[in-house]
Amino acid sequence: SFFFSSRRRHTRCSGVSWARRCVQETDLKELIKSNKVVPYQAPVASEEFESWALILLFIGFCLMMWFFIYQITYRKVERYLIKELTIGLLSALFLGSGTFFFLLSVGLYM
Amino acid sequence: MKKKKALNTYYIAVPREYDQFLALILVRDKNNKDIVPVRIQDNSVQAQYNATIYKVDLTHYVESNQEEQLIITETYFNRMSALPKKITIFEDQNVEIYDNPHFFSPYPTEKSQTTYKLASSPIFYTEEDATAKGGNIEYGPYRNDGAFTRSKIRLHFENTRPFPVFKNVTRVIEVSHWGNIAIEDFYKLANEGAELTGEYNKVDFNKYTQHTGKNSLKNLKAKLPYNSWGVYYKDEVGNISTSRAFRDSASNSVDMTIEPRFALLGGWKSNFYIGYNLPAKYTLFVEKADPTNYYLRQNSGLIFKGIMAEEFTIKVILPEGATEINYQFPFPLNEVSEEKSFSYFDFEGRPTFVFKIKNVVDYHDQTFTVNYKFSQNSIIREPLMILAIFAAVFI
């Protein structure tokens, strides 16, 4: 099946069997010149990956320490499940995103 | 009386015995515009004269009794063969070539002249109609040739350079919306020059001198995009440290020189990988009016200039969840297919387009575009999965 949306993107679908997809007729150079198309900016700039990784991992480790200390110092009956869950999940959030930015900063893009 | 009309079509003929070695044919008219001829399927003419016919659609009409100038460039490969086929490590490589000095055309030719430009005087050249001026051998001028005039001359001359050819090049382009394009090329390199007679002897062959193994392939030069980072050169054994790269703002590229682990003598082969990364902001574009519409622009040629690849496969791996994928190439492709690639945190797989081009020369060093729709929010999926792993640990 062909995706035929010539109204918006001016595509032309050829009948040649190997060209199963429609070929873009609008030249990318013209789109860039007329400013209809801009360079892609990632949500976080690559220069900031290390900073984000360090801060997030640091906060994550602090929360993780708090979690473990909380587990150790209070007996089972004295602990609150809600507090455990929130600290645990918050710590996972920070550690998870910190690890993710750490991997991005060493060049392992997913 | 027949009325003479204006024409905008021209036909070029190539002898069938040479057409299989034709990598590229280009026609340039007086407006300096390059036209790519199309091979046509006229079987009767082709069978009768043992020729392949190409059709050229000119950019304008040529009126009757008017002259038009065309520059036809034909790029051949494997036309020169080493003679002698095997040489010792101290000898110079000599090659021979056969060719048709008449202008082979479906039209009659009033006057034609062919000049063969060699680096030095040849060892042998067919004497008929020939005038030798040092390295330039002129044949002709021939007057009033009929259509499809055939003849054969032979040239035997010295050419001590290696003949590098890429038997296969595979490029994998992986797009990540966290801001990076990762590219890895796999090369199968061969030196198709004169082979070595006898056995290879490390005492006789010293790759640091000019006296031995003159036709051995010692290094190659590549030009990577200016913003490349994280460049590596490796093969199946591991990293190859004999390489240099320099970011040159004058030529707007990263100039890289690689030396394979061993100098390739005639007939020898070597496989290697070259990988590099590009920041997304230089090659990935997004439409302002519709932020889910992305354009990826990449080079369609090799990073090594002046070397032909018999087969070039480009694989573009788009992020998981990309839809409505279109592509645009400045020249026709031999084969296009779609598949799925699986990488980190993939469920349904990443859409992958595979483009195959045969006999890639410097002409193919242009850019191609892949256009797709992708919801930017999906990129949060990867960190969320790491989060889930950590959360599982805590729970």
Side-chain angles (χ1 to χ4, degrees), chain B residues 254-287:
Chain B
V254 169
D255 294 338
M256 188 176 178
T257 309
I258 59 162
E259 284 172 43
R261 292 187 193 280
F262 48 88
L264 271 74
L265 302 192
W268 288 15
K269 297 186 182 133
S270 169
N271 299 344
F272 55 89
Y273 295 86
I274 291 187
Y276 52 101
N277 296 296
L278 294 171
K281 59 185 170 187
Y282 298 111
T283 54
L284 187 60
F285 299 90
V286 61
E287 192 178 321

Side-chain angles (χ1 to χ4, degrees), chain B residues 87-105:
Chain B
I87 55 173
T88 70
I89 204 80
F90 303 104
E91 284 177 340
D92 291 340
Q93 179 177 258
N94 298 319
V95 295
E96 71 167 358
I97 183 170
Y98 292 93
D99 196 36
N100 179 3
H102 293 265
F103 180 52
F104 192 74
S105 164

Side-chain angles (χ1 to χ4, degrees), chain A residues 18-103:
Chain A
W18 53 258
R20 286 179 297 121
R21 293 280 186 269
C22 303
V23 173
Q24 192 74 16
E25 271 205 335
T26 323
D27 193 20
L28 180 63
K29 250 193 233 163
E30 291 158 21
L31 287 175
I32 295 174
K33 253 195 214 154
S34 62
N35 220 24
K36 290 214 183 90
V37 144
V38 290
Y40 172 76
Q41 299 285 354
V44 177
S46 57
E47 297 84 27
E48 298 170 15
F49 285 151
E50 290 108 348
S51 332
W52 279 79
L54 275 171
I55 295 170
L56 290 171
L57 280 175
F58 180 71
I59 298 176
F61 274 119
C62 290
L63 286 170
M64 189 171 77
M65 287 301 113
W66 190 3
F67 182 83
F68 284 140
I69 291 168
Y70 188 68
Q71 297 272 323
I72 293 168
T73 49
Y74 295 92
R75 291 199 320 260
K76 194 142 184 199
V77 292
E78 291 176 342
R79 283 178 279 165
Y80 294 103
L81 182 66
I82 307 292
K83 194 169 175 187
E84 268 185 31
L85 273 176
T86 44
I87 298 182
L89 284 172
L90 266 180
S91 150
L93 170 76
F94 281 95
L95 280 179
S97 41
T99 316
F100 178 72
F101 279 107
F102 168 70
L103 289 172

Side-chain angles (χ1 to χ4, degrees), chain B residues 135-268:
Chain B
N136 289 1
I137 319 292
E138 280 176 21
Y139 284 88
Y142 300 106
R143 297 205 184 268
N144 294 322
D145 278 340
F148 301 108
T149 315
R150 250 191 173 81
S151 114
K152 208 176 207 183
I153 58 110
R154 178 173 161 252
L155 295 170
H156 189 203
F157 52 98
E158 182 183 284
N159 182 335
T160 55
R161 303 169 84 205
F163 288 1
V165 168
F166 290 119
K167 302 304 254 184
N168 194 316
V169 181
T170 306
R171 169 172 299 171
V172 177
I173 301 171
E174 195 166 330
V175 179
S176 166
H177 273 235
W178 282 98
N180 192 51
I181 317 277
I183 301 173
E184 185 173 86
D185 295 346
F186 176 61
Y187 296 92
K188 286 193 174 176
L189 173 67
N191 179 2
E192 294 192 333
E195 296 177 16
L196 183 68
T197 180
E199 292 194 356
Y200 173 68
N201 184 345
K202 213 162 188 175
V203 175
D204 291 335
F205 177 61
N206 180 354
K207 75 173 181 179
Y208 299 108
T209 66
Q210 301 296 321
H211 306 299
T212 58
K214 286 193 206 127
N215 73 326
S216 64
L217 183 59
K218 291 166 189 163
N219 55 46
L220 285 173
K221 288 191 175 27
K223 275 192 189 295
L224 301 172
Y226 182 75
N227 297 296
S228 313
W229 67 273
V231 185
Y232 58 89
Y233 169 46
K234 66 173 192 185
D235 66 1
E236 290 113 345
V237 175
N239 180 55
I240 307 175
S241 57
T242 45
S243 64
R244 294 184 299 281
F246 166 59
R247 180 168 283 133
D248 189 7
S249 54
S251 64
N252 203 36
S253 64
V254 169
D255 294 338
M256 188 176 178
T257 309
I258 59 162
E259 284 172 43
R261 292 187 193 280
F262 48 88
L264 271 74
L265 302 192
W268 288 15

